Amino acid sequence: MKNMGPSAVMRHEHKMIKDLLKQIHEQVMDAMDSVSLEFELLQMLGQHNVKEENVLYPMIDQLTDSKQKEEIFSKMKDMKLVPRTCCCDLI
């Protein structure tokens, strides 16, 4: 499932979202109008979220047992979040 199917699509969309954020950042830094890119990003995020909620997450639920889910949630709780110190960390 890693190189095909829903998870591959979602990873590709994550890259596209990151690229859009970079483009918006560059336009804002150059005092250019970024409204159309921002609109595109919002649409992409909305569609992406629907796919995660209605396709990817239910698929993960079907493919994992309760022990695996507990392990996943435990690892997520232990993850250390790295706060962003400035907007340029997006690049």
Side-chain angles (χ1 to χ4, degrees):
M1 188 158 94
K2 182 179 179 183
N3 294 320
M4 55 189 276
S7 65
V9 170
M10 301 309 281
R11 281 193 310 281
H12 176 70
E13 287 182 3
H14 287 176
K15 183 186 178 316
M16 292 170 59
I17 290 165
K18 185 176 179 179
D19 290 344
L20 273 172
L21 286 168
K22 183 177 178 182
Q23 289 176 48
I24 291 168
H25 176 264
E26 289 169 353
Q27 287 195 352
V28 168
M29 295 305 290
D30 291 337
M32 296 173 61
D33 184 13
S34 61
V35 172
S36 63
L37 287 172
E38 292 168 24
F39 181 75
E40 183 179 347
L41 175 64
L42 289 175
Q43 284 200 286
M44 181 177 291
L45 288 172
Q47 293 169 3
H48 182 82
N49 188 49
V50 167
K51 290 177 200 169
E52 282 182 334
E53 296 290 335
N54 296 322
V55 178
L56 191 62
Y57 298 158
M59 183 180 285
I60 291 170
D61 282 341
Q62 290 178 349
L63 296 174
T64 55
D65 60 32
S66 59
K67 183 179 177 184
Q68 290 170 314
K69 288 176 184 141
E70 285 179 35
E71 290 173 9
I72 292 167
F73 285 116
S74 177
K75 288 179 183 180
M76 288 171 65
K77 287 179 187 174
D78 292 340
M79 290 177 69
K80 295 198 178 5
L81 296 178
V82 179
R84 298 277 183 194
T85 56
C86 82
C87 66
C88 298
D89 285 345
L90 291 173
I91 298 173

